[in-house]
């Protein structure tokens, strides 16, 4: 399962990278769609444990989904959120729309898994 229907492309990998001359650790992957809509689909399925439309330290609008005990998926930089805290989501459910909120250089999805 991929976050976008259609063709997806990873534009930044997990690990160290340099942005604007600053070396930093990137805790997820950045994904864009090459075809299809900008709708974001839930990759695994679980319970929405947080949503936010704040700046969030550069993360922008985000959704957090607990997919297993101690495992959280984070979807960041959204332009719209389609779910609510406490909601159960299945794999493939729409959870939002990709955007460029927070510290971003264009429309994309930052996808991160925290354990």
């Amino acid at each position: 399962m991929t976050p976008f229907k259609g063709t997806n492309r990873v534009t930044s990998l997990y690990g160290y990278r340099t942005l604007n001359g600053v070396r930093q650790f990137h805790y997820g992957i950045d994904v864009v769609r090459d075809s299809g809509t900008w709708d974001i689909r839930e990759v695994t399925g679980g319970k929405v444990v947080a949503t936010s439309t704040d700046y969030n330290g550069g993360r922008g609008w985000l959704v957090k989904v607990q997919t297993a005990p101690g495992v959280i998926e984070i979807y960041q930089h959204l332009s719209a959120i389609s779910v609510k805290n406490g909601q159960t989501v299945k794999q493939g459910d729409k959870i939002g729309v990709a955007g460029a909120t927070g510290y971003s250089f264009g429309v994309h999805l930052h996808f991160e898994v925290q354990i």
Side-chain angles (χ1 to χ4, degrees):
M1 169 63 62
T2 58
F4 299 113
K5 287 184 179 179
T7 305
N8 299 244
R9 180 170 36 98
V10 175
T11 58
S12 186
L13 297 172
Y14 174 87
Y16 281 100
R17 67 181 184 178
T18 302
L19 276 178
N20 291 334
V22 177
R23 184 171 161 81
Q24 63 182 26
F25 196 84
H26 189 233
Y27 288 94
I29 61 171
D30 290 344
V31 183
V32 297
R33 57 102 176 124
D34 286 332
S35 66
T37 70
W38 284 107
D39 292 347
I40 303 296
R41 303 181 302 166
E42 170 53 35
V43 172
T44 306
K47 182 178 180 178
V48 177
V49 294
T51 62
S52 178
T53 55
D54 290 328
Y55 183 72
N56 291 303
R59 294 175 171 227
W61 292 19
L62 60 82
V63 171
K64 294 183 178 183
V65 178
Q66 182 170 1
T67 60
V71 180
I72 305 285
E73 293 175 349
I74 306 173
Y75 300 81
Q76 299 173 179
H77 303 300
L78 306 179
S79 64
I81 295 173
S82 306
V83 294
K84 295 183 185 306
N85 290 343
Q87 181 177 340
T88 298
V89 290
K90 296 179 297 215
Q91 184 182 54
D93 285 352
K94 179 179 174 180
I95 61 170
V97 178
T101 59
Y103 184 63
S104 174
F105 295 101
V107 176
H108 73 287
L109 169 69
H110 173 93
F111 178 73
E112 184 173 321
V113 178
Q114 292 182 347
I115 300 173

